[in-house]
Amino acid sequence: MRLRVLILLAAAALLSPQGALAQGNELAESYDRGVTAMEAGNYEEGLALVDAVIEKSAATALGRHGPVFGHFFYLKGMLLIRQGDYEAAIEPLRVCYEDYPSSAVQDGQLPNAFQIHALMQWAGCLQALGQYEEAIAKYEQTLAEDPRKNPPINRIFVQINIARCHSQMGDEAKSEEILRTVLGSEEADGTALQEAFLALAADWDPNASLQELFEVVADTPLNIDRSTIFPAALTGRLATMASRALNSSKPLRALTWYQMMTPPGATVDAEQKRLEALQERRATVPPNANEDAVAALDNEISAAEAALATAEEIEAASLIGLAGAHYQMGNLAAARAGYRTLVAEHEDLPDYPFFLHNLLICTANLGRWEEAREAGAQFLNAYADHELRPSVSRVLSEVIFVDGLYEEALQVAGDSREDLSPGDPDRDVPDFVVGASLFQLERFAEAQQELAAYVENYPEGKRLETAQFFLATSLTRLGRWAEAGPIFNDFIQVYPASVMRATVLYLGALSNLIANQPDLALVHANYLLRDFPSDPQIAAIHNVKGDVLRSQEAPVEEIQQQYEMARTMAVPAGKPEVAAYALRQLLALSSDEQDWDRALEIYETFTTEHANSPLRAETELAAIDALVARDRAEEARENLERVILDTAKTFEVGTLDDLFRSYLDFLVSNFGEEEALKAVQEFPTPGAVPPALNAWVSLAEVELLEAMDAEAEADRISELFYRLNAIYEESGSELGNYPLFRLARWNLLERKDQAAAEAIYDGILEGNPSGETKALTMIDRARLEAESDDPLGKDKALQKFQQVLAEMDDPSVIEGAVLGAARILTSQGKYDKAIPLWEQYMEARGWNQARPEASFRYAHSLERSGRREEALKGYLAVYANFTGHLDWSTQAAIRAGELLRQKDQAVDALKVLQDLLRRTTGSEHPGVEEVKKVFFQWRDEL
Amino acid sequence: MKRSLICLFVLMLGLLAELPAQSSRIHLKDGQIQEGVVTSVREGKIFWQLQDGGATTSAALDRISFVELPTPSLWLESSEAYRTGDIAGAIAKLEQLEASRSSTMYPAPGNFSSLATWRLIDLYRRAFDAAAIQEASADLNWEYLPPTQRKDQPLVEIWSRIADRDWGTALERIEAAPELPAFSRNALELELLRGIALDGSGDSEAAIIHWGGVHALWNGAHRDLAAESVQRSVQALESMAGREREVQALVHLYAELYGEGTLWEGASAQAERLLNKSLELPEG
């Protein structure tokens, strides 16, 4: 870089004084040819010319030609400098300066116009050779002796070079002092100022504070012609400093340098045009043109090509730097502009995949999904094996997800996590995208599993907030309200400022209400009403609040007020379903209060305003009592039959289940079993009967016959089940869950066809069922799993039992779940978890499926938990209370005896066994035989 | 109609009487350049007397590219004021020049009255003053400007639409604008205008993207445009949730690169707060 300064000075000085020798003699001609050769880069030729003149004339030159002859020595020195031979250049420069002083000029002679220039270049050579002290001395001598005549020397550049020498010698302070003087000098023109500034900056930039840098930039009068742009020739040095700053993670400093550069692209344009012009000239050169001129032109073209290549390199490097600096700063829009240009214009660069990657990151962060998707897709298409591929896939999957292309997002995210283990930070986003895409695709069961795993694997996950929301919402869509509620409860605490808060409050209130947590539901509802009075769900939350208050048995007026508010707000908000629900609940409330006239008034309003509401069926059911109370039972029956038909046609099979069961109850209650049976057998079915309804007509007859005399009607019941089975085989997916559940059980218990039963159970569960039928189905299915050979069967079964327990609290439904879960936990040795379930079972007076077993296993679990005294009491109770249940009583007696023997009560132990044997005299039960065997063994041991 | 034509004729006669008797260069559309003293403009033609008292010749106005008239002193004075950063002084001189229509205006490209208006508009463009640009350009006949200046017409018209807050038309004009040389000031200004029109029409996200391009790639070339784009980006981002990091980056960028350590007048309290907050960068 220093060399370039020297050459620049030399060239400027040589061009102007030719006239001084232009006296029409040979010497002047030789001199001109020497200068031309140097300018053309033909240094050897120039040296040969100059040396020939010096050899021939030097001895007598001073006398004959005067000091002006020193110009040849100066030219020789400059030619040697151009060749890079600084050491050899010093001697001719010295001769020019010392042996041809202008002071020796005589009349008729010309002075040595380059005497002081030779001294300056001598200093330059010393500087280039690293002899800084000597160089400084010569530079200072130059300044001191400068006659300030034409051709002038550039004193500012001399000072800059002195400063550079000091800098090279390690005296940064002296260097800075000189350069700051230069920057404040009125003599300095724009170019000199820029040189001085860059020299200064190159030295202290890395260590100076950013503030100091800005102050110098601001204070320095660089605004020549209202621009701080440095010429293209200097942009390389600025780019170097910018690059250095960027590599030190100093983006603002880097941008300070970049902003001083001529736009690198503009330099490329200019170089391109220059090259094109030269090539055009070259193309038009005639065949007989002067060879030297052609060679010179070719040299010029080569130089232009090199300059263009350099400009392109600087442009690319600067763009990379600019984009990187803005990205480091967090200025995404600007970073995007940089990477976009690089992607559009620099596909040839080895870092191209990185440009695509960074463009993807910027655009994804800016929410420019289409652009991000393009960049990501381009990357994956072109660089399938690149190290950044996993990163690109991860970001791209989320981009696609946000763009709403969930199937595609699921695919890309699934692929991108293939080689990573769950919990790996790089799997965070793909795992989220998989779960969230499944959620958006309404594949809630899979979504729930993925999102639950995400929450567990990434406690600090990047998308934890949204994942929790999707997880809880998936659970609500699966009807698993009791599991959803706590997640929503936590969400509200952890993310108080979430944009999803209003929806979470609503769903949280609903989940807690359904999961029988009315207090929590009320808290959520009140938060929503207080904090989001304009939320679209505000009308619906009044309904939820009404339901909560109703479950808490609040005063009727308070409950009514909530439903009335829901109705009032729903109509202008364009939410007829909310208004319909409010009316239905008001109707139910009035019926509860036996305010039949009010109930019928509401019923009339509903049928007028919401004739086609999905809640029509439920409302008809709610109106039955009022209609019956006002002697309109026939009307109620007709209404129900009409609604059942309508519902069956619309394939609302879930509603049809509830409706038909309620219809049966209604018939039996109001018309008796015989009349009900007749009504079912003659159910009005105009036109084609939908399979769901057909199935229900058969099942209804089954249920009535079972209630009347199952044994006597066994053949008819069997016939009806076969008919139901035929309907199932023809249109299984269109049937309601309850008929399917009954059919599965019939297959299992009557036909002993477990495979057929399992297929039906699984079909029900895949259809996202709810309510009692779901619980009963899950219990049956879990029992089969627990008994299967599947090594994971017990775990799957336990999960189902626990899900039923979490979602249901109807004792008549959950007995099987408590029993099933307690059995599995006991068999797995998880006695601490099993004990509460056994206790629950024994405390439920109406549960009789397995009381002896429950009592025994409870005592057994206590024993295995080290609670021997309690266990002993338990065993004694089993054999005392359930003596006839020999499977359990015999085992209980033996275990009680063992515990007594451990307490050194061997005689008491024998008494227990003896008592049992006495009570079971005559039994050949293997348990009794075992007790006898143990009894004699213990007796002999006494 | 007849009366207005007569008035125009009289006015032109009056103007021509004041035409300076100095040499001009007449650039014809076919590339020819002739030198002479413009003597009159009439009947759709320009008449000039060739140098050294030669013959008078003429050319139809539609053959004229533009005329380099003798430069008035006010023009030079305004140029000097502009060069030294005295924008107010430059405007004052240009307004004087505009006002002296009697000696500088004639209905052909190159007249200094139209040039003065153009330069005034140019100054307003550099001040990003849409209303002033619209007002100044209202009576400008672009045909009376040399081709170089005439190229600014699309941008000035876009500025006028922006002054009217007619974002839709502004965007249409931007889309229809002729392709501009890369790295030129006008190309960059068009990007700035695109951002302004998008922002005005409610698409601030897209506006920020275009402003990002203005200050990212050529910030050194046209610092005023870069600074304006940064300022507008900050103002748009301030109202967007979750974009504080970007705002902070931009206010530091503005203050350090364009504002000598400070923000623009009227910067929001939030912008000032973020400027005073250390930018989370490795060098602190």
Side-chain angles (χ1 to χ4, degrees), chain B residues 5 36 94 96 117 135 137 149 190 194 224 227 267:
Chain B
L5 278 175
L94 289 169
Q96 267 181 273
T117 305
E135 189 183 342
S137 63
Q149 282 77 11
L190 192 66
R194 196 189 302 272
D224 56 338

Side-chain angles (χ1 to χ4, degrees), chain A residues 329-453:
Chain A
M329 295 212 20
N331 185 10
L332 295 172
R336 169 210 165 262
Y339 288 122
R340 195 172 159 79
T341 308
L342 284 163
V343 163
E345 297 175 6
H346 293 280
E347 199 166 358
D348 54 318
L349 292 179
D351 283 343
Y352 193 73
F354 292 91
F355 306 155
L356 280 171
H357 172 268
N358 293 353
L359 179 61
L360 167 66
I361 303 292
C362 289
T363 48
N365 277 296
L366 284 163
R368 297 181 69 79
W369 308 119
E370 196 177 330
E371 215 178 303
R373 203 147 57 82
E374 278 174 21
Q378 190 182 343
F379 184 101
L380 292 182
N381 286 337
Y383 307 101
D385 300 322
H386 195 273
E387 60 181 299
L388 285 174
R389 183 189 173 278
S391 167
V392 169
S393 293
R394 283 194 292 278
V395 179
L396 184 60
S397 67
E398 193 169 29
V399 167
I400 297 169
F401 170 77
V402 176
D403 217 10
L405 302 170
Y406 304 120
E407 291 282 6
E408 204 178 325
L410 186 61
Q411 177 73 41
V412 176
D415 289 349
S416 72
R417 68 179 187 173
E418 257 177 11
D419 302 330
L420 301 167
S421 303
D424 186 321
D426 285 344
R427 244 186 92 141
D428 181 330
V429 172
D431 276 353
F432 166 77
V433 172
V434 168
S437 298
L438 288 166
F439 174 84
Q440 297 288 5
L441 292 166
E442 301 192 355
R443 290 161 62 176
F444 296 114
E446 297 160 85
Q448 183 273 326
Q449 286 182 1
E450 284 287 345
L451 292 163

Side-chain angles (χ1 to χ4, degrees), chain A residues 690-854:
Chain A
L693 179 56
N694 211 355
W696 251 111
V697 169
S698 296
L699 183 62
E701 190 177 340
V702 167
E703 299 226 318
L704 285 167
L705 291 172
E706 284 175 341
M708 291 162 75
D709 190 345
E711 210 170 314
E713 299 291 346
D715 289 345
R716 174 63 181 162
I717 289 170
S718 181
E719 184 188 328
L720 289 165
F721 268 119
Y722 273 107
R723 186 193 295 173
L724 185 57
N725 200 49
I727 298 168
Y728 165 72
E729 283 177 358
E730 195 167 325
S731 7
S733 62
E734 295 175 26
L735 269 54
N737 286 331
Y738 186 69
L740 287 172
F741 167 73
R742 288 298 316 267
L743 183 64
R745 267 207 172 162
W746 176 73
N747 271 293
L748 186 65
L749 302 176
E750 302 298 326
R751 292 180 73 193
K752 310 295 181 194
D753 187 345
Q754 186 174 326
E758 283 179 350
I760 300 172
Y761 283 136
D762 289 343
I764 295 171
L765 294 176
E766 281 169 14
N768 192 19
S770 62
E772 186 182 324
T773 308
K774 174 188 177 187
L776 293 172
T777 306
M778 289 185 80
I779 290 168
D780 279 11
R781 189 69 186 88
R783 276 186 184 144
L784 294 172
E785 282 173 342
E787 291 163 6
S788 73
D789 296 331
D790 180 356
L792 297 175
K794 281 193 169 53
D795 290 335
K796 289 181 190 169
L798 182 61
Q799 197 179 358
K800 286 193 173 68
F801 287 136
Q802 287 174 330
Q803 187 180 332
V804 171
L805 294 175
E807 293 174 9
M808 300 293 289
D809 55 4
D810 182 347
S812 66
V813 175
I814 65 172
E815 179 186 358
V818 171
L819 189 59
R823 280 172 174 160
I824 293 172
L825 289 167
T826 305
S827 73
Q828 290 176 334
K830 296 173 181 170
Y831 302 111
D832 288 348
K833 290 182 179 172
I835 288 169
L837 291 171
W838 291 125
E839 285 174 343
Q840 183 184 356
Y841 194 93
M842 290 192 301
E843 284 166 10
R845 292 292 165 202
W847 292 359
N848 294 307
Q849 285 181 29
R851 292 198 78 76
E853 180 194 349

Side-chain angles (χ1 to χ4, degrees), chain A residues 308-331:
Chain A
L308 176 60
T310 303
E312 284 173 340
E313 276 174 30
I314 292 174
E315 187 214 14
S318 302
L319 272 174
I320 294 168
L322 275 168
H326 282 296
Y327 187 75
Q328 276 188 27
M329 295 212 20
N331 185 10

Side-chain angles (χ1 to χ4, degrees), chain A residues 229 259 265 328-331 336, chain B residues 183 209 215 220 245-246 249:
Chain A
I229 302 171
Q259 61 131 6
Q328 276 188 27
M329 295 212 20
N331 185 10
R336 169 210 165 262
Chain B
F183 314 108
I209 293 296
H215 67 260
R245 174 76 206 276
E246 285 166 82

